[in-house]
Amino acid sequence: QVQVIESGGGLVQTGGSVRLSCTASGLSFGDYMMVWFRQAPGKEREGVSCITWSGDTTDYADFVKGRFTISRDNVKNTLYLQLNSLEPEDTAMYYCAAGSYGGSCSLHAVFYNYWGQGTQVTVSS
């Protein structure tokens, strides 16, 4: 049984930082590309950042603007997202997902098979 569990969210002030973690079990973590999505109330889910199975290639949504950094530790079966210079517009539920697509990683949800329940990030102004 595959489990994907996010953690690390919380309440942070504008300009602050937070580090999200995502652990995956029940699959060969090092074989999967990984992604972070987010969804704010009343808005569509949007891709934030993704990383290939090896960690050699990453991609970011334009709105990240160099503020976020994705990384992974295939020994610990864990994905990370470091969020810096947070803005109220970054308030959302953040989800991670695993996908078995063989090419470079993607910010499109259709390529991902296993999803977590999310962790809430709230940025106060």
Side-chain angles (χ1 to χ4, degrees), residues 62-77:
D62 290 343
F63 60 77
V64 170
K65 300 175 185 176
R67 300 180 297 129
F68 299 172
T69 303
I70 192 171
S71 62
R72 66 188 296 162
D73 185 333
N74 287 348
V75 174
K76 296 182 178 180
N77 287 4

Side-chain angles (χ1 to χ4, degrees), residues 60-110:
Y60 295 90
D62 290 343
F63 60 77
V64 170
K65 300 175 185 176
R67 300 180 297 129
F68 299 172
T69 303
I70 192 171
S71 62
R72 66 188 296 162
D73 185 333
N74 287 348
V75 174
K76 296 182 178 180
N77 287 4
T78 302
L79 174 74
Y80 303 100
L81 186 67
Q82 178 69 40
L83 295 79
N84 298 327
S85 302
L86 283 163
E87 304 165 351
E89 293 73 23
D90 296 315
T91 295
M93 186 72 79
Y94 284 73
Y95 301 89
C96 76
S100 57
Y101 176 58
S104 183
C105 71
S106 172
L107 294 178
H108 296 288
V110 66

Side-chain angles (χ1 to χ4, degrees), residues 4-122:
V4 178
I5 301 174
E6 303 93 337
S7 62
L11 177 63
V12 62
Q13 292 185 334
T14 297
S17 299
V18 69
R19 188 194 198 198
L20 307 182
S21 298
C22 168
T23 59
S25 60
L27 52 75
S28 183
F29 182 79
D31 290 341
Y32 284 77
M33 65 177 181
M34 299 295 295
V35 68
W36 287 98
F37 277 80
R38 72 183 188 183
Q39 187 167 20
K43 295 188 177 180
E44 293 188 354
R45 180 176 56 183
E46 56 185 357
V48 176
S49 180
C50 67
I51 188 168
T52 53
W53 64 271
S54 65
D56 288 346
T57 302
T58 60
D59 194 14
Y60 295 90
D62 290 343
F63 60 77
V64 170
K65 300 175 185 176
R67 300 180 297 129
F68 299 172
T69 303
I70 192 171
S71 62
R72 66 188 296 162
D73 185 333
N74 287 348
V75 174
K76 296 182 178 180
N77 287 4
T78 302
L79 174 74
Y80 303 100
L81 186 67
Q82 178 69 40
L83 295 79
N84 298 327
S85 302
L86 283 163
E87 304 165 351
E89 293 73 23
D90 296 315
T91 295
M93 186 72 79
Y94 284 73
Y95 301 89
C96 76
S100 57
Y101 176 58
S104 183
C105 71
S106 172
L107 294 178
H108 296 288
V110 66
F111 292 107
Y112 296 89
N113 312 98
Y114 304 107
W115 292 79
Q117 295 299 306
T119 186
Q120 177 70 37
V121 174
T122 302

